[in-house]
Amino acid sequence: MRKKNMFIVLAALFCAVLVTANAPEAKNPKVSITEQLQSILSDNHILVRHRDATARVVFKVNEQGRIEVLEVITKRKDVRLFIDRRLEGRIIAAGNAARGKVFAVDVRITS
């Protein structure tokens, strides 16, 4: 009887270890291109006084996953230089479907 109880306890412990040993899978491990751009551009030191600084960024993701800035449309030169320097050549996690495509993104910089 003792051996039977010991076997049941060990089997239950073994099952519990197997269930908890597997790491839970992430529901959505991919981060969108917009979220990646937001994290790249989030740390800025641009002075915004009355209204937010806005820009329209046209870029392409090349075959290596690097950003190629094609155009930055804004009235402010400092914003244009900031975005161009931050994004040009940055590697982002883009799927194969996004590589080689041209994207246009509106960027707003707040104080």
Side-chain angles (χ1 to χ4, degrees), residues 10 14 18 25 29-30 34 41 50 54 76 93 97 104 106 110:
L10 285 175
F14 182 73
L18 282 177
E25 293 181 17
K30 294 183 181 180
T34 306
L41 298 174
H50 301 290
T54 59
R76 294 183 55 176
D106 292 322
T110 59

Side-chain angles (χ1 to χ4, degrees), residues 72-89:
V72 179
I73 304 166
T74 184
K75 293 179 182 178
R76 294 183 55 176
K77 186 178 180 180
D78 60 339
V79 172
R80 185 179 311 116
L81 291 173
F82 169 75
I83 291 173
D84 192 38
R85 288 180 184 159
R86 281 288 176 103
L87 293 182
E88 186 67 40

Side-chain angles (χ1 to χ4, degrees), residues 7-66:
F7 180 75
I8 292 173
V9 170
L10 285 175
L13 181 63
F14 182 73
C15 290
V17 169
L18 282 177
V19 169
T20 59
N22 295 331
E25 293 181 17
K27 292 180 181 175
N28 191 3
K30 294 183 181 180
V31 178
S32 71
I33 293 175
T34 306
E35 291 171 341
Q36 292 179 53
L37 292 177
Q38 181 180 2
S39 67
I40 293 170
L41 298 174
S42 65
D43 183 28
N44 64 61
H45 301 289
I46 295 176
L47 181 61
V48 180
R49 293 199 176 154
H50 301 290
R51 296 173 50 190
D52 299 340
T54 59
R56 183 161 185 90
V57 182
V58 180
F59 66 95
K60 181 172 98 170
V61 179
N62 66 13
E63 294 301 319
Q64 291 81 27
R66 292 186 183 274

